[in-house]
Amino acid sequence: MLMAAVTALLFGPLLTGLVVYLLPSRRLRDIGPVVLAIGLLGPLWHLGTEVVGAGPLVLALGGHFAPLGIELHVDGLALAMLWLTGIVALAVNVYVSASLPVDAHFPATGFRALWLILWSGLNALFMAADLFNIYVMLELTALAAVSLVVVSRGPEAVSAATRYFLFALAGSLFYLLGVALVYGQTGLLSLRVLETSSWGGPVSLLALGLMTGGLAMKAALFPVHAWLPRAHAVAPSAASAALSALVAMAGAYLIIRLWLGPFAGHWPQALAQGMAALGTAGIVYGSIQALRQSRLKLVIAYSTVAQLGYLLLIFPIASLLAWQGVVYHALSHGLAKAAFFLAAGNIIHLLGNDRLTSLSRRDHRLAGSVMVMALSGISLSGLPPSGGFLGKWWLINAALESGQWWWALAAAAGGLLAAAYVFRVLRHALAEPHPDAARDAPIADNLPRRMFWPPMLLALGAVALGFAGQLLSPVIRIGLPTGVGG
Amino acid sequence: MSLLSLIFDALLGLGLLWLAWRAVSSPGLFASVVLFMVFGFVMAITWARLGAPDLALAEAAISAGLTGALLLSACKAALTDTGNDNELPDEPSTVRRRWPAALICTGLGAVLSIVMIQVAANRAAVPPALAEAVTTHPLDNPITVMLLDLRGYDTLLEVTVLLTAFLGVRILLEQTELPRLHAPRATTPLMVDPLLAMATPVLLMTALYLFWTGMEAPGGAFQAGALLGALGVMYTLTGRFEPLDRTPVLLRLGLILGPGMFAIFACLALTWSEWPLAYPAGATGAAAVAIEFTLMISIAVTLTLLFSATPGLHARHMGVRHP
Amino acid sequence: MSGILAFSLTAGLLFALGLYGMLTRTGLIHRLLGANIMAAAVFLFLVVLSTRATEAGADPVPEVMVLTGIVISISLTAFGLVLIRYLRAMTGQATLPRSGREGDGHSGDD
């Protein structure tokens, strides 16, 4: 049963994608992914009870354990990310069934096929435990993600996609060179075996540097973030939600895996301080840029640059509490950011554009989306009682416990800046109607329920995470990597 | 003898560096592409020299050959779309960036070469467990054992990457209508018909041979698929395949056959084994041949379609010539 | 074998050369060539790694990484070339505008 659950997560979306591409039936491509997403909650539940009951899992594809074959690992962190992927995918599938154009031309089918392949790739990436397998998966997810950006037509989309493509290409080559160095030095690719074998020295530092640099380009961490805002802003909103909440985060996830797993203890504390400094620079830069944008989706995209910076704060602290805080932050950011982007998609659906000044229409049809933005904004800026608050609270406490008050300051300041850009958006929505806003008439009369509820439930989920801390923190701690101190 | 081989290695290495330098630095697009293709062939010779002839074959066929054809096609596209095959001169902003970039790259190159020499000098033998697993495996060729069984998951994902590239291209093709690159000509040059008539059976036979021999000796689905893809490229270039504005169901089937069957096999493995992707005991050879065959078909179809950069192709009836 | 040292050195320098091309060229096809040279450099290093264990035969793991990498590399190159062609056709440029100067076009069209 356990194997069947994992197999369904790995290959279910992929095979559905292939069928959707082969048989162009509108009913199939609209309903199939939704049914799949609901169906996959079963395997996720089963996997969850198994991991909670029996501890972290090691699975061998084809029955070949490392170092012969490719293994998959599911620990608490991977489980959390798989659940996040499942929930965001469900929301995206329901949303897409109403939001994409209904005529039968290719992009509607192509979008589904690429998104389903991407979904399989994300599930696989969060379970991956083999350095080279991760490389293949990175290329697969990047190629699907770049193509999803192009689904929005026009020169803006193609130029944003090209920039994304070049960064992704360079990033994976840096990563692959790092993998080659690790293999050359140790003859190993498995994260589990590497974690228990004694090696290190300058080669390991260089390999870690190359892989971190490459993954940072995929995750758009400051200062290699230049591609993200345009790409995530121009993509269809359903794709933006998945790209920001899952794809970009996957890069940061892998950096954390590598630093605290197989490379734990290989890096000096100064390097960890440097990483956290880059993360802080990302928080400040992304937030300030978000404050300066005049388009809603650019505000949200720059917010992703800022929010991913938090994940780097774990390295200098590396305590249990910091681990909990960072994982919780990733989870609540994923839910809130997906909700935010889908709400922006609803506004574009109603108004035909996403200029902040257009929000001041005082139109009752906008009210639901504004509320979603307010709810997810609460979590993004870390206000109680949201999941974002709990994540930041744990992170700040961990920083203070380790005596590094400056990182607590960075996390708190980041929350204030996030509150500033969220309230700037809300202020536009509540302001006197702007002269520009009256000019162009709304393009749609109403919002389908299948587009309204997914972001609303995601945003409520991000807030509700704040009450689930007691329940979820033991799960996140299952199978801690060696780099996390007690 | 050892002095001679040292000189030969040094010449190969210097040649690679010089070709790469010219390819990234020469202003003309066409010149760079040709230099890159030569670079690919010298790289293949280098790999053969290092004692990896099967990799050299794949590098020559896929990297130098097919990538070269794609790049030449891109040059032609630049010419068709703009009437100018030179890319624009580099912007002043990037010319100013040259010195910092040169500094960074020199530093990186120095560190990398020092570390890589050290790493490569570790004389690590093949782990005994791996050597044993490979020699006792029902499939004979170690590379095939790795590609289809031990690291079969990577192979499945890799053909999915190939399919994804086509789906991405297909999305791009919806953007706007661009001039066709490989329009059929009114008259066929004198030598094309006899050459194709000769090349078709030779390439087909070689591909089938490579496919079949892949079980025991160097070769396999990838080399065979690449050769068949090259044949498709020739048919596209000479106008024997005509572009379509949609992908017929048979082509769609061809595109997804490889990854689809491999993924279905991965799931079905749970009925005869504890693990996904495991081979049924006693039927490893047959299953591997079947998977490799579907992979070969998908690789050939996908590469041909990627090269033509059209949604679909169909064979032109050769009896009728459109003026 | 002398080749191991010579070609490790070559691979390191080739990676840096390809990166230099990617950083300094504005022509996008030239940048893609740079990336392909970086990829070739990594593959060359992997081939060196696979052949250094000659006593017990070549190490199949790096060989398989190279074969997989080559197919992935051609997939990305094929996609990238079409992407660049459409960029040129739709913007009239074979280069990317500098970030932050991409006009005030609309973002997102669901």
Side-chain angles (χ1 to χ4, degrees):
Chain A
M1 269 316 287
L2 182 64
M3 276 299 128
V6 172
T7 312
L9 288 173
L10 284 182
F11 301 114
L14 171 64
L15 281 169
T16 312
L18 297 183
V19 171
V20 164
Y21 176 58
L22 184 66
L23 308 172
S25 130
R26 209 192 123 197
R27 188 180 294 261
L28 181 70
R29 72 168 189 240
D30 279 348
I31 298 175
V34 178
V35 172
L36 175 75
I38 296 170
L40 282 184
L41 294 179
L44 277 175
W45 181 259
H46 186 73
L47 198 61
T49 51
E50 197 73 25
V51 170
V52 170
L57 295 170
V58 179
L59 314 161
L61 289 161
H64 308 292
F65 282 93
L68 293 185
I70 301 173
E71 285 177 357
L72 300 174
H73 291 186
V74 188
D75 53 12
L77 173 61
L79 187 66
M81 295 303 141
L82 287 173
W83 267 96
L84 177 67
T85 310
I87 289 169
V88 171
L90 177 59
V92 165
N93 283 328
V94 173
Y95 186 88
V96 158
S97 70
S99 77
L100 274 191
V102 287
D103 49 334
H105 66 321
F106 179 75
T109 309
F111 181 94
R112 271 17 171 268
L114 284 164
W115 151 243
L116 286 162
I117 290 175
L118 178 64
W119 181 9
S120 251
L122 287 166
N123 276 343
L125 199 52
F126 290 130
M127 289 189 265
D130 178 283
L131 286 174
F132 187 72
N133 182 236
I134 291 173
Y135 162 75
V136 182
M137 216 75 79
L138 283 171
E139 297 286 34
L140 182 63
T141 48
L143 197 49
V146 172
S147 306
L148 285 177
V149 173
V150 191
V151 171
S152 300
R153 293 152 153 264
E156 276 276 297
V158 176
S159 104
T162 309
R163 191 185 301 280
Y164 185 3
F165 174 75
L166 286 175
F167 270 96
L169 192 62
S172 44
L173 289 169
F174 274 95
Y175 176 82
L176 183 61
L177 184 60
V179 175
L181 285 177
V182 172
Y183 187 82
Q185 185 75 5
T186 63
L188 295 170
L189 293 170
S190 154
L191 298 186
R192 179 176 60 88
V193 183
L194 276 168
E195 194 165 346
T196 52
S197 64
S198 59
W199 67 295
V203 177
S204 123
L205 267 188
L206 182 63
L208 181 64
L210 289 167
M211 291 200 273
T212 307
L215 291 168
M217 290 184 210
K218 304 259 180 189
L221 299 176
F222 187 84
V224 280
H225 59 276
W227 60 267
L228 184 138
R230 291 277 160 190
H232 285 198
V234 82
S237 296
S240 310
L243 293 184
S244 261
L246 304 171
V247 179
M249 199 265 293
Y253 166 90
L254 289 172
I255 292 179
I256 291 179
R257 272 251 181 275
L258 291 178
W259 276 64
L260 300 179
F263 289 90
H266 294 204
W267 34 269
Q269 181 65 10
L271 209 56
Q273 296 281 348
M275 284 294 277
L278 281 182
T280 308
I283 294 173
V284 173
Y285 171 87
S287 306
I288 289 176
Q289 286 297 323
L291 274 169
R292 295 177 54 203
Q293 302 305 317
S294 58
R295 290 185 173 274
L296 178 57
K297 283 183 78 176
L298 277 171
V299 174
I300 314 173
Y302 271 109
S303 151
T304 302
V305 174
Q307 298 285 324
L308 290 178
Y310 281 101
L311 303 183
L312 300 185
L313 296 183
I314 177 120
F315 299 123
I317 311 169
S319 68
L320 188 57
L321 201 56
W323 171 261
Q324 259 173 238
V326 162
V327 177
Y328 226 73
H329 175 78
L331 283 179
S332 49
H333 169 253
L335 292 179
K337 190 50 65 74
F340 220 132
F341 263 125
L342 293 183
N346 286 342
I347 284 165
I348 294 173
H349 176 84
L350 289 168
L351 300 180
N353 71 69
D354 68 336
R355 285 192 301 273
L356 287 179
T357 50
S358 307
L359 289 176
S360 59
R361 292 187 59 89
R362 296 248 169 112
D363 192 325
H364 68 277
R365 283 164 300 188
L366 293 184
S369 303
V370 172
M371 187 155 152
V372 170
M373 295 196 290
L375 283 173
S376 38
I378 288 176
S379 185
L380 286 181
S381 35
L383 297 176
S386 64
F389 164 73
L390 205 52
K392 283 198 185 67
W393 178 252
W394 280 336
L395 198 56
I396 288 172
N397 274 328
L400 293 176
E401 266 177 20
S402 71
Q404 304 180 61
W405 53 268
W406 46 94
W407 300 131
L409 200 64
L416 283 179
L417 283 167
Y421 61 71
V422 168
F423 282 120
R424 179 164 164 268
V425 170
L426 296 179
R427 203 200 49 181
H428 275 285
L430 303 174
E432 285 297 311
H434 192 273
D436 288 351
R439 212 178 45 210
D440 26 40
I443 58 166
D445 287 336
N446 59 353
L447 196 63
R449 268 179 306 186
R450 281 178 292 168
M451 290 173 75
F452 173 75
W453 282 108
M456 181 57 94
L457 292 177
L458 285 176
L460 286 172
V463 175
L465 268 184
F467 299 101
Q470 290 294 326
L471 187 73
L472 291 183
S473 57
V475 179
I476 295 172
R477 287 195 296 243
I478 295 173
L480 278 183
T482 50
V484 178
Chain B
M1 185 60 204
S2 86
L3 184 69
L4 209 61
S5 71
L6 194 68
I7 292 173
F8 188 62
D9 285 349
L11 281 179
L12 274 179
L14 288 175
L16 282 173
L17 288 169
W18 185 78
L19 285 166
W21 167 247
R22 295 295 303 150
V24 299
S25 69
S26 66
L29 184 55
F30 183 71
S32 283
V33 165
V34 172
L35 284 162
F36 178 77
M37 288 174 72
V38 179
F39 170 83
F41 283 111
V42 177
M43 186 60 91
I45 295 170
T46 309
W47 292 5
R49 160 100 189 112
L50 276 167
D54 40 345
L55 295 184
L57 190 71
E59 166 76 6
I62 302 180
S63 266
L66 278 171
T67 308
L70 281 168
L71 287 165
L72 285 177
S73 210
C75 285
K76 190 175 169 191
L79 198 65
T80 321
D81 299 347
T82 64
N84 179 2
D85 87 318
N86 275 340
E87 292 196 304
L88 300 170
D90 291 334
E91 281 175 14
S93 62
T94 49
V95 174
R96 251 185 285 127
R97 217 160 63 194
R98 262 181 207 166
W99 281 110
L103 210 63
I104 293 171
C105 292
T106 315
L108 182 70
V111 173
L112 280 181
S113 3
I114 293 171
V115 172
M116 280 156 87
I117 286 178
Q118 278 179 4
V119 169
N122 292 336
R123 298 205 61 86
V126 181
L130 180 65
E132 198 203 323
V134 168
T135 45
T136 56
H137 199 276
L139 302 174
D140 289 333
N141 181 15
I143 304 261
T144 310
V145 171
M146 297 297 297
L147 275 177
L148 285 186
D149 192 7
L150 295 182
R151 298 193 72 87
Y153 183 48
D154 279 347
T155 308
L156 166 58
L157 292 164
E158 158 204 342
V159 287
T160 313
V161 171
L162 196 60
L163 172 71
T164 309
F166 174 74
L167 291 176
V169 167
R170 188 73 183 74
I171 293 273
L172 277 166
L173 294 177
E174 299 289 321
Q175 291 272 337
T176 176
E177 197 76 26
L178 287 187
R180 274 164 58 177
L181 284 185
H182 313 294
R185 305 178 194 207
T187 57
T188 314
L190 190 63
M191 288 304 289
V192 166
D193 282 329
L195 271 179
L196 264 186
M198 214 161 67
T200 306
V202 172
L203 281 179
L204 277 178
M205 291 302 292
T206 318
L208 280 179
Y209 169 77
L210 276 177
F211 163 69
W212 193 250
T213 192
M215 295 295 137
E216 298 111 36
F222 290 90
Q223 286 85 338
L227 263 190
L228 289 181
L231 191 65
V233 167
M234 282 165 67
Y235 273 61
T236 312
L237 276 175
T238 53
R240 271 147 184 82
F241 283 160
E242 285 205 314
L244 291 172
D245 56 359
R246 67 202 163 76
T247 321
V249 69
L250 208 61
L251 274 183
R252 291 207 298 275
L253 195 64
L255 283 164
I256 67 163
L257 191 66
M261 292 310 285
F262 208 160
I264 289 174
F265 167 78
C267 302
L268 281 183
L270 289 177
T271 60
W272 58 70
S273 136
E274 194 189 342
W275 307 101
L277 269 166
Y279 282 81
T284 307
V289 170
I291 291 172
E292 281 230 86
F293 189 75
T294 58
L295 291 182
M296 178 181 76
I297 302 280
S298 284
I299 290 168
V301 173
T302 318
L303 285 177
T304 308
L305 283 177
L306 276 177
F307 176 79
S308 76
T310 53
L313 291 168
H314 74 125
R316 188 161 65 124
H317 190 14
M318 291 313 292
V320 189
R321 290 282 157 85
H322 303 287
Chain C
M1 196 155 59
S2 65
I4 285 181
L5 299 185
F7 291 126
S8 307
L9 180 72
T10 312
L13 296 177
L14 277 179
F15 191 87
L17 261 180
L19 181 65
Y20 179 74
M22 266 200 110
L23 288 176
T24 59
R25 295 307 297 251
T26 43
L28 289 173
I29 299 185
H30 274 108
R31 285 183 160 189
L32 201 53
L33 283 180
N36 267 293
I37 288 170
M38 287 164 80
V42 182
F43 298 155
L44 173 62
F45 184 58
L46 285 169
V47 173
V48 168
L49 291 183
S50 86
T51 51
R52 66 183 170 169
T54 36
E55 300 88 23
D59 183 350
V61 178
E63 296 196 0
V64 167
M65 298 205 289
V66 171
L67 281 176
T68 307
I70 287 177
V71 176
I72 290 176
S73 167
I74 193 177
S75 310
L76 291 171
T77 305
F79 175 77
L81 286 172
V82 179
L83 191 60
I84 292 167
R85 186 172 180 217
Y86 274 85
L87 180 75
R88 184 174 45 219
M90 298 175 82
T91 65
Q93 300 273 313
T95 60
L96 275 179
R98 293 197 42 211
S99 48
R101 282 200 206 159
E102 283 167 73
D104 201 24
H106 67 125
S107 63
D109 53 348
D110 286 0

